[in-house]
Amino acid sequence: YFSFSLDSVILANFCSVRKRDKYILDLCSGNGVVPFIVSLRTICHIDAVEVQKELFDLAVSSCEYNDLSDQISFYNQNIKDFINKENCEKYDLITCNPPFFKYSDDSYINLSYEKAVARHEVLINLEEVVKISSSLLKSGGNLAMVHRTDRFLDVLSSFKQYNIEPKRLMFIYNKLSKGSTLFFIEGQKNGNVGLKIEKPFVVYNEDNSYTEEYATIIKEVLKWDKLVMIILLHCI
């Protein structure tokens, strides 16, 4: 399976968690790192949905290991099946690190089915993710997502199509001397027009050392004992 990576850590720090929020949802949750980090920022309840049983089991194990079961609930299902009367228009914030790559019958994909599902739109595509998120969000709720920069226009189009107004945007650079490969976006359901473009997030200096902003995020995460235990658990 994929270990959690930079994009998940930044997403958990990038999303806006408001004091008035009551319910948060993480879609395509993998081993659960986004809700684990978000739980450090809020006391409200967090639901998380992951379709792959083995990853779901890892997330549940970490949740129990770190005494977070009262705050985080994991669901082992396709997010297409998560919509029901109880969940529609329930959530104040949805986070999502979706599969990045389009899929067709002639796509070159990883021979590992588990990795293929994580990377390619085998079970769900971008438009479906945004449409479902819009149905699950309250009016005024936020959707925070990470995606590849080469699909930037696809993401904007889907947000607009399903009444999620882009409000914040941040591009990620491995180095400033190279182009952006990832971006983070947050939109508000039925929100007013008005987009804030954050300063670029740069991971490495030109000498390959970590930038101060990236080092700060890593230090903030690693100083929490329970997240260190989560990291160790998933490295075993």
Side-chain angles (χ1 to χ4, degrees):
Y1 304 104
F2 285 114
S3 300
F4 66 83
S5 56
L6 170 67
D7 46 359
S8 294
V9 175
I10 296 178
L11 177 62
N13 285 275
F14 171 79
C15 63
S16 299
V17 180
R18 300 166 295 191
K19 289 184 178 180
R20 69 174 185 268
D21 292 347
K22 294 182 179 179
Y23 296 102
I24 294 174
L25 174 65
D26 183 49
L27 300 177
C28 307
S29 196
N31 56 25
V33 66
V34 173
F36 289 138
I37 296 176
V38 171
S39 75
L40 303 177
R41 303 176 57 195
T42 181
I43 62 172
C44 70
H45 192 80
I46 304 171
D47 290 332
V49 182
E50 171 53 45
V51 68
Q52 298 198 62
K53 181 65 163 58
E54 292 81 1
L55 289 174
F56 164 81
D57 288 340
L58 282 173
V60 171
S61 295
S62 286
C63 196
E64 293 172 350
Y65 187 72
N66 292 282
D67 297 322
L68 289 169
S69 298
D70 289 341
Q71 185 180 9
I72 305 175
S73 299
F74 286 94
Y75 297 86
N76 179 211
Q77 60 188 119
N78 192 308
I79 66 174
K80 296 177 184 178
D81 302 321
F82 192 70
I83 295 181
N84 54 44
K85 291 182 179 180
E86 181 181 348
N87 291 333
C88 280
E89 299 186 348
K90 172 181 178 179
Y91 294 98
D92 301 286
L93 169 65
I94 295 177
T95 56
C96 186
N97 185 351
F100 286 160
F101 300 100
K102 293 183 179 181
Y103 174 75
S104 62
D105 290 339
D106 58 352
S107 295
Y108 177 77
I109 63 175
N110 198 293
L111 292 178
S112 162
Y113 177 77
E114 291 79 10
K115 291 184 178 181
V117 167
R119 291 175 58 86
H120 287 79
E121 297 176 336
V122 176
L123 299 180
I124 195 163
N125 62 38
L126 170 62
E127 182 180 338
E128 290 170 327
V129 168
V130 177
K131 180 180 179 179
I132 290 168
S133 297
S134 183
S135 296
L136 295 171
L137 281 172
K138 296 177 182 176
S139 183
N142 290 339
L143 170 61
M145 180 182 291
V146 55
H147 220 294
R148 285 179 57 87
T149 305
D150 58 12
R151 298 200 63 188
F152 176 64
L153 294 181
D154 292 337
V155 173
L156 281 186
S157 176
S158 293
F159 270 46
K160 287 286 191 177
Q161 182 178 356
Y162 294 104
N163 300 317
I164 298 177
E165 184 63 34
K167 302 295 289 185
R168 295 172 59 224
L169 179 64
M170 182 174 72
F171 289 97
I172 307 299
Y173 296 80
N174 283 333
K175 293 182 179 179
L176 271 180
S177 59
K178 298 182 179 181
S180 169
T181 56
L182 288 175
F183 72 96
F184 293 78
I185 187 169
E186 186 171 65
Q188 185 175 61
K189 182 178 178 179
N190 300 324
N192 297 323
V193 175
L195 175 63
K196 177 183 179 181
I197 300 180
E198 307 281 359
K199 68 176 184 178
F201 188 103
V202 184
V203 180
Y204 295 103
N205 296 308
E206 293 303 318
D207 63 0
N208 293 320
S209 62
Y210 287 140
T211 61
E212 183 178 352
E213 56 192 339
Y214 182 53
T216 298
I217 284 184
I218 296 301
K219 288 177 183 178
E220 286 298 310
V221 171
L222 292 182
K223 75 180 183 181
W224 292 84
D225 289 343
K226 62 182 179 181
L227 279 179
V228 172
M229 287 188 284
I230 289 168
I231 291 169
L232 291 175
L233 183 62
H234 289 300
C235 288
I236 293 174

